[in-house]
Amino acid sequence: MGMRIDFHTHIIPEQLPNFFEKYGQERWPILQPTCSCGANIMVGGKVFREVTDQVWSAEKRIEDMAKEGVCMQVLSPIPVTFSYWAPPHAALEMAVIQNDFIAETVKKYPTKFLGLGTVPMQDSEVAIKEMDRCIHELGLHGLEIGTNVNGVNLDSEQFQPFFEMAEKWNVPLFIHPWETLAKDRTPDHNFMYTVGMPSETALAAASLTFGGVIEKYPNLKICFAHGGGSFPFILPRLDQGWEVWPHLRKTSKPPSHYVQNFYFDSLHYDPLNIQFLIDRFGYEKIVIGSDYPFLLREVPPGRVIDRLQDISSEVREAIFSKNALEFLNIKETNLRYGKQSIDSRR
Ligand SMILES: [Zn+2]
């Protein structure tokens, strides 16, 4: 079956402190146990999501991985914990707890897990400091960031110092939708997940390309959740906008020129969409992502790749594992011995 790395999985510490009690704001996510094998993530007194112990137990995850043919999971925080809305010092505290937990989990099972951290994007200075700690002290492999920060798109001037350092330190960024656009029009039918998230991801990718961030920091490595949402499909329309509105141009070339370092996870469910991604961006830019352990996840991870017709074993192997390692700056030879190394330009 080949080695499969599931690039898109989420984890949270079972002993997450109650920040609502500590800081008083309703928006802090709280983990409220429902049994020994599960909990509710509560936000503002309401159940945000029911979760099982898969979301915190490394051992449980390893059992599932064995069942589903996954050899490694890349661990990232649950976006509801980003806490960009909070005061930076409190959001940093939340980030540190999660980053330490992810680093410990990776350290305990170095042949099973790789880790991405989170940083308080509402304050670039604090975000850069925590990025430094995540990568150079904790040995995490990259960061997960949201598609917007308090409703501000990623091409805003305020995030430029962060992107500058991420590029300088060669820190891979996993961009995950959260606080999706059109929230007022998507509460019904869970459209927030099926329409809001892909549109939100497209807006983030559009901001980075059209908005000039990638032209400024061309070596940034970015992977988009959910296969980039609707971005791959609307890219020609963005180019057309760039063509017909010269006064709006922020870059010397159309947006499609700036996607060379974009990676996409495979969470599109349909092999037709994956074929489209391959044709448009190259098979080297696709990694398996399942959104384990949540309801919309793909089981087993990489199923959509299994269903792709006529791809060579070389392409399959790249999508299954090589591309993820390439994205995360990990040398496969080091991985076999359970020692992970980071190629940092620091
Ligand atoms: Zn996810």
Side-chain angles (χ1 to χ4, degrees):
M1 187 149 49
M3 156 169 168
R4 281 179 201 215
I5 297 178
D6 187 350
F7 182 85
H8 185 166
T9 79
H10 297 290
I11 194 164
I12 195 170
E14 186 179 7
Q15 308 301 335
L16 189 74
N18 190 325
F19 275 53
F20 171 60
E21 264 171 22
K22 188 166 179 182
Y23 290 109
Q25 292 106 331
E26 280 216 316
R27 287 186 72 178
W28 291 110
I30 300 165
L31 210 54
Q32 200 172 73
T34 48
C35 59
S36 60
C37 60
N40 287 330
I41 298 177
M42 307 291 293
V43 178
K46 287 193 200 129
V47 178
F48 168 77
R49 191 171 298 166
E50 295 172 21
V51 294
T52 66
D53 54 358
Q54 295 161 305
V55 82
W56 60 72
S57 163
E59 292 73 21
K60 186 88 199 181
R61 299 171 83 100
I62 291 169
E63 269 175 43
D64 287 345
M65 288 158 66
K67 267 186 266 172
E68 295 170 7
V70 171
C71 70
M72 294 191 97
Q73 283 184 343
V74 179
L75 308 174
S76 54
I78 307 175
V80 72
T81 64
F82 285 157
S83 311
Y84 297 154
W85 54 270
H89 72 276
L92 175 64
E93 203 181 321
M94 174 63 90
V96 164
I97 288 166
Q98 300 198 83
N99 295 336
D100 288 353
F101 172 69
I102 290 172
E104 276 165 31
T105 308
V106 172
K107 208 174 158 194
K108 196 170 171 195
Y109 298 105
T111 61
K112 293 291 172 196
F113 300 118
L114 301 164
L116 304 178
T118 175
V119 297
M121 289 294 290
Q122 63 270 53
D123 184 323
S124 277
E125 204 178 310
V126 180
I128 290 167
K129 267 193 194 158
E130 182 59 5
M131 169 161 64
D132 190 3
R133 196 183 75 92
C134 280
I135 304 301
H136 303 118
E137 285 180 37
L138 297 180
L140 294 176
H141 302 89
L143 297 180
E144 177 192 36
I145 67 169
T147 42
N148 74 77
V149 179
N150 302 320
V152 179
N153 287 332
L154 295 177
D155 60 334
S156 164
E157 200 55 47
Q158 71 181 96
F159 309 123
Q160 305 310 300
F162 169 81
F163 287 125
E164 187 185 334
M165 289 315 283
E167 187 196 43
K168 190 176 168 205
W169 289 336
N170 199 18
V171 179
L173 302 176
F174 178 39
I175 299 195
H176 196 296
W178 95 307
E179 290 297 321
T180 52
L181 48 75
K183 268 196 144 181
D184 54 329
R185 291 174 56 212
T186 50
D188 292 344
H189 322 299
N190 267 349
F191 274 167
M192 192 270 270
Y193 290 93
T194 53
V195 182
M197 282 186 162
S199 308
E200 174 67 29
T201 307
L203 185 54
S207 302
L208 291 172
T209 51
F210 204 111
V213 178
I214 304 299
E215 183 174 70
K216 209 164 168 195
Y217 310 110
N219 294 315
L220 269 181
K221 277 175 119 176
I222 291 177
C223 181
F224 292 96
H226 313 142
S230 47
F231 176 73
F233 202 75
I234 66 164
L235 185 52
R237 190 170 176 86
L238 283 166
D239 277 3
Q240 184 66 7
W242 186 91
E243 290 293 341
V244 302
W245 295 310
H247 62 291
L248 295 182
R249 289 179 194 169
K250 293 272 197 292
T251 55
S252 57
K253 302 242 166 56
S256 61
H257 183 79
Y258 302 98
V259 301
Q260 300 99 316
N261 284 329
F262 282 2
Y263 286 67
F264 305 89
D265 76 23
S266 61
L267 200 52
H268 270 299
Y269 310 103
D270 188 325
L272 268 180
N273 286 34
I274 302 298
Q275 191 59 57
F276 181 70
L277 281 186
I278 292 175
D279 294 346
R280 171 145 283 163
F281 302 100
Y283 72 86
E284 303 91 341
K285 297 298 163 53
I286 300 165
V287 299
I288 289 178
S290 76
D291 232 338
Y292 177 96
F294 299 138
L295 197 59
L296 285 176
R297 80 182 180 108
E298 180 183 62
V299 186
R303 180 169 179 264
V304 71
I305 308 299
D306 294 330
R307 292 169 58 212
L308 259 186
Q309 307 283 318
D310 304 324
I311 57 166
S312 67
S313 54
E314 187 191 341
V315 169
R316 202 174 291 272
E317 199 184 323
I319 297 175
F320 276 179
S321 61
K322 281 196 170 149
N323 299 343
L325 296 175
E326 178 72 31
F327 178 73
L328 295 172
N329 306 315
I330 295 169
K331 292 195 177 79
E332 208 173 347
T333 44
N334 294 329
L335 201 65
R336 286 206 189 102
Y337 299 99
K339 290 182 213 139
Q340 294 140 16
S341 79
I342 296 274
D343 291 336
S344 174
R345 291 200 205 123
R346 196 189 192 191

